[in-house]
C-alpha cells in the first residue's frame, strides 16, 4: 500500500515491531507524527471499493501507540468531495502493545461513495516525534 501523508506524518508499511498479543502480522503501517508537525498531520490511502456501512457500522483497527491515551480518528471520505465523509474516534488504553479499537459509524450516510481512508493520531496536537502503528481495519459482525 502507498500512503499519502500530509502535515508531517510519514506513513509506511514496515515490519511489525511487536508481533505479539492481538497482532502477530509480519507487516503493519507505521506513522511517525514528526516533531513540530501540523496538528492535523496524518496519512491516507485510497481503496479500490467504497466502505459499505450496510455490512456493519462498527469497524475495528489494531493500534500500537508509544504514548498513553492517544485519540485515534478513523475517517472515510469521498475521493472527489471531502465534504462527503464519515469519521469516528476511539482512544488507546495501552502503551507499547497492540490493542483493538472499535469505531462506531452508526448514523453514517450509507449512500456515500467513501474510498479514502485516513488515520489521525492525536488530531489537534502538534507532532512530538511519536510513533504509531496500525493494522487490519475490519468490519465488526
Amino acid at each position: 500500500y502507498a500512503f499519502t501523508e500530509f502535515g508531517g506524518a510519514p506513513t509506511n508499511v514496515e515490519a511489525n515491531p511487536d508481533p505479539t498479543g492481538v497482532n502477530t502480522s509480519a507487516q503493519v503501517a507505521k506513522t511517525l507524527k514528526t516533531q513540530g508537525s501540523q496538528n492535523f498531520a496524518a496519512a491516507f490511502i485510497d481503496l479500490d471499493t467504497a466502505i459499505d456501512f450496510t455490512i456493519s457500522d462498527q469497524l475495528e483497527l489494531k493500534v500500537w501507540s508509544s504514548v498513553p491515551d492517544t485519540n485515534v480518528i478513523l475517517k472515510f471520505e469521498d475521493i472527489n468531495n471531502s465534504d462527503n465523509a464519515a469519521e469516528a474516534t476511539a482512544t488507546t488504553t495501552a502503551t507499547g502493545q497492540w490493542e483493538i479499537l472499535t469505531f462506531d459509524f452508526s448514523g453514517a450516510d450509507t449512500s456515500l461513495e467513501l474510498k479514502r481512508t485516513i488515520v489521525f493520531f492525536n488530531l489537534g496536537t502538534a507532532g512530538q516525534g511519536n510513533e504509531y502503528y496500525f493494522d487490519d481495519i475490519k468490519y465488526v459482525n
Side-chain angles (χ1 to χ4, degrees):
Y1 296 102
F3 290 90
T4 301
E5 67 99 359
F6 54 92
T11 300
N12 300 293
V13 175
E14 297 189 3
N16 186 342
D18 184 18
T20 60
V22 298
N23 193 5
T24 58
S25 296
Q27 295 191 322
V28 297
K30 173 189 176 185
T31 296
L32 171 63
K33 194 163 178 186
T34 58
Q35 183 69 37
S37 66
Q38 299 294 320
N39 63 8
F40 57 82
F44 69 84
I45 190 167
D46 292 337
L47 306 173
D48 292 331
T49 53
I51 294 296
D52 184 354
F53 291 118
T54 64
I55 293 172
S56 175
D57 59 10
Q58 306 288 308
L59 287 117
E60 290 180 342
L61 177 67
K62 294 176 184 172
V63 174
W64 188 101
S65 176
S66 60
V67 292
D69 303 319
T70 298
N71 287 325
V72 182
I73 296 176
L74 184 57
K75 183 176 183 180
F76 299 100
E77 290 180 351
D78 180 327
I79 292 171
N80 300 310
N81 182 353
S82 63
D83 289 337
N84 293 334
E87 68 179 57
T89 304
T91 304
T92 63
T93 59
T95 303
Q97 68 184 37
W98 286 102
E99 65 183 303
I100 298 172
L101 300 182
T102 302
F103 296 84
D104 182 0
F105 286 92
S106 57
D109 185 343
T110 59
S111 70
L112 297 176
E113 185 80 6
L114 305 177
K115 291 185 178 180
R116 178 159 291 160
T117 305
I118 309 168
V119 180
F120 293 94
F121 293 96
N122 280 330
L123 180 64
T125 302
Q128 299 175 4
N130 295 318
E131 297 178 340
Y132 307 97
Y133 297 86
F134 61 97
D135 198 17
D136 297 332
I137 296 173
K138 70 176 198 170
Y139 296 105
V140 178
N141 293 326

